[in-house]
Amino acid sequence: MIEAAHFLRQSLPCKAFLREGVPSLRENLDNQHSFIFLKWFNFFVYGSVVLFTSFFPLYLQDVGMNKLEIGSVMSAGALVSLIANPFWGIWTDRYQNIRRIVLLMLTGTLVLSQLIFQAHTYESVYIFILFFYFFQGPLFAESNTMILSYVDSSPKRFGSFRLWGSLGWAFTAILAGPVIEWAGVSVLSYLFALLLCLAMVMLISLPRPKNIIGSAPLPFRGLGKTISNPFFLCFIFFGILVSIPNTMNGIFVPLYITELGGSKTMVGLAVFLSSILEFGVLLLFDKLLRKRIPVMLACLTLVSLLFVLRWWLMADATTPLQVAFIQVLHCITFGGFFYVGTQLTMLLVARPLRSSGQALYALAWSGVAGILGGVLGGWLYKNLGVQTMYQSAVFLTLIGTLGFGGMWLFAGSGGYRPPAAQEEELEDISAARQ
């Protein structure tokens, strides 16, 4: 009896521990399941987008559109994003339920995509594509905000979820190519719908996030002060010149490959090669690149010079396999260009105006360049041929490269000290004195 009583007394703390530990264990398991759903959600969302961006131009060509019409349709997203991004940001902040907002965006994307695939005239496709991009265009930004909300106050890092997006982009492209080759480009609508539905299933399986990371939907309040910085405006202008050819290539490289005799499988291979190493390149930049303006301008100049080489090689390509392997340079050029550009914007703009600076940077390098690249590239391709389009890309990029090179020399000689650098220098001096 005494031993039994002693055992019961020893067991009581264990029972209490179990009572307290079971909810904690269940919560940890729920969190792990949430992270798994988040990773697959990112995989399917990025996979659906690469289907649309890489194979939809081939669908438009198949239904009879010319190169200028294709360029105009594909560049519509950059135009709509000027309204769509702040709209969804405002509603996200107002309702504080980003999971429901993203679900609504996915639903709208699904419905409008099927209407697009049922449309038979250029006018009807263009109208539906405008509404489609209203839902789909800001999807990456809102999804990233949602993921940050889930990983907030946890040891998980955003980069691990972004990796799953890169994997979804790469492997969907290379797997979809043979399927579309076998079944025809019309099967694209079913593949796109399938991936969107799988993303919605992953999203519905998630609990509501405990914390909501704000999306800063109205970042242009300091725009007047931001554009009064001539050095920053030069940075924006030269960036547009380099970004326009990148948009041209993104829209028209699938058509270029097929014109050279390549298959849909070859298109998927080109997209796979262009993205499979991108995440590793970003990690290297993040680890090795020094956050100093002259160093980053030098890096931006070198990356832009690689863009020049890339477009020159594309203009001289004679086989689809050559085009596919040239796309490997995309991992370095695109990844490095936009990574360094984002970091430089933080340094070239004063801290209170950084939100406006980043908004202007995204508007110019993606929005303005996206519109001009689609329309200009389509006109050049239609009227002068694809080689002329890529030769024009070499010319535009070379001007941007020389511009960045001049900025690098000017900043390296001590001719420019931006507000952001002055603030950080004052903070370092103050910290040293303390």
Side-chain angles (χ1 to χ4, degrees):
M1 291 292 294
I2 296 176
E3 292 179 356
H6 177 72
F7 174 77
L8 288 174
R9 284 195 299 270
Q10 295 294 326
S11 299
L12 288 176
C14 295
K15 291 181 178 180
F17 170 79
L18 288 174
R19 284 195 302 269
E20 295 174 2
V22 167
S24 177
L25 179 61
R26 186 180 297 117
E27 183 177 352
N28 289 335
L29 289 174
D30 291 340
N31 288 336
Q32 292 301 319
H33 288 143
S34 298
F35 293 140
I36 292 173
F37 290 137
L38 269 178
K39 290 176 179 178
W40 281 108
F41 167 80
N42 232 25
F43 184 97
F44 292 129
V45 165
Y46 275 77
S48 67
V49 173
V50 74
L51 278 181
F52 201 83
T53 57
S54 300
F55 296 99
F56 189 60
L58 298 175
Y59 171 83
L60 295 177
Q61 181 177 252
D62 191 63
V63 298
M65 288 192 186
N66 61 47
K67 304 301 189 298
L68 180 57
E69 290 173 337
I70 293 172
S72 300
V73 168
M74 297 302 294
S75 64
L79 179 65
V80 175
S81 66
L82 304 180
I83 301 173
N85 280 300
F87 174 87
W88 290 110
I90 290 171
W91 283 101
T92 298
D93 285 352
R94 175 170 295 183
Y95 280 98
Q96 293 293 298
N97 193 337
I98 192 168
R99 186 172 66 98
R100 185 172 296 177
I101 294 294
V102 173
L103 182 60
L104 177 61
M105 294 172 70
L106 287 172
T107 304
T109 300
L110 176 61
V111 173
L112 268 300
S113 67
Q114 299 311 301
L115 292 176
I116 291 170
F117 286 114
Q118 296 301 319
H120 299 290
T121 65
Y122 170 75
E123 291 77 15
S124 59
V125 169
Y126 199 85
I127 291 173
F128 286 136
I129 204 78
L130 290 176
F131 288 100
F132 168 84
Y133 279 125
F134 183 79
F135 288 93
Q136 189 270 338
L139 192 57
F140 278 164
E142 292 298 312
S143 297
N144 290 341
T145 302
M146 183 185 71
I147 292 170
L148 288 170
S149 299
Y150 276 102
V151 302
D152 187 41
S153 303
S154 78
K156 299 290 183 179
R157 292 188 176 184
F158 175 78
S160 62
F161 297 94
R162 177 63 178 82
L163 171 61
W164 277 73
S166 298
L167 293 175
W169 184 282
F171 284 101
T172 299
I174 199 169
L175 293 175
V179 175
I180 295 174
E181 184 72 30
W182 170 73
V185 74
S186 59
V187 78
L188 183 62
S189 63
Y190 301 105
L191 295 176
F192 189 71
L194 174 63
L195 289 181
L196 283 177
C197 289
L198 290 172
M200 293 168 71
V201 169
M202 296 299 108
L203 186 62
I204 294 172
S205 303
L206 290 169
R208 181 170 177 172
K210 297 179 181 178
N211 303 313
I212 302 295
I213 306 295
S215 55
L218 297 174
F220 288 105
R221 293 178 181 176
L223 185 59
K225 293 182 179 180
T226 302
I227 62 177
S228 65
N229 183 343
F231 195 83
F232 181 67
L233 287 183
C234 289
F235 163 74
I236 291 294
F237 174 72
F238 295 132
I240 291 175
L241 294 181
V242 179
S243 299
I244 289 173
N246 189 66
T247 301
M248 292 180 184
N249 180 75
I251 294 174
F252 295 108
V253 70
L255 306 181
Y256 188 22
I257 290 174
T258 56
E259 282 192 6
L260 290 174
S263 63
K264 309 298 188 301
T265 302
M266 187 64 67
V267 173
L269 175 64
V271 177
F272 177 83
L273 293 174
S274 71
S275 57
I276 191 62
L277 300 177
E278 183 180 312
F279 187 78
V281 171
L282 293 176
L283 285 179
L284 287 176
F285 272 110
D286 192 49
K287 184 176 182 179
L288 301 178
L289 189 63
R290 298 175 62 189
K291 305 300 190 293
R292 294 181 62 244
I293 290 176
V295 174
M296 302 190 83
L297 282 172
C299 184
L300 197 60
T301 304
L302 293 176
V303 169
S304 300
L305 194 60
L306 279 178
F307 263 126
V308 174
L309 172 64
R310 181 181 170 191
W311 306 142
W312 178 71
L313 291 173
M314 289 290 283
D316 285 347
T318 56
T319 67
L321 190 60
Q322 286 178 340
V323 174
F325 279 108
I326 293 169
Q327 288 297 100
V328 174
L329 286 172
H330 179 86
C331 300
I332 303 173
T333 52
F334 179 80
F337 186 70
F338 280 91
Y339 175 87
V340 177
T342 303
Q343 299 296 320
L344 259 175
T345 301
M346 299 291 286
L347 297 177
L348 295 176
V349 180
R351 184 173 286 104
L353 305 176
R354 283 179 176 174
S355 179
S356 296
Q358 290 290 348
L360 183 60
Y361 157 79
L363 171 65
W365 287 27
S366 298
V368 175
I371 297 170
L372 294 176
V375 176
L376 177 62
W379 186 87
L380 289 170
Y381 200 154
K382 177 187 175 184
N383 295 288
L384 301 177
V386 66
Q387 278 76 23
T388 302
M389 185 190 78
Y390 278 111
Q391 289 167 359
S392 301
V394 170
F395 176 73
L396 288 173
T397 308
L398 185 59
I399 296 175
T401 302
L402 294 174
F404 285 135
M407 295 178 67
W408 167 30
L409 295 176
F410 184 68
S413 64
Y416 177 72
R417 292 180 62 204
Q422 295 175 21
E423 288 177 0
E424 292 175 0
E425 183 177 321
L426 289 173
E427 289 178 359
D428 291 341
I429 293 174
S430 176
R433 288 178 177 175
Q434 293 177 358

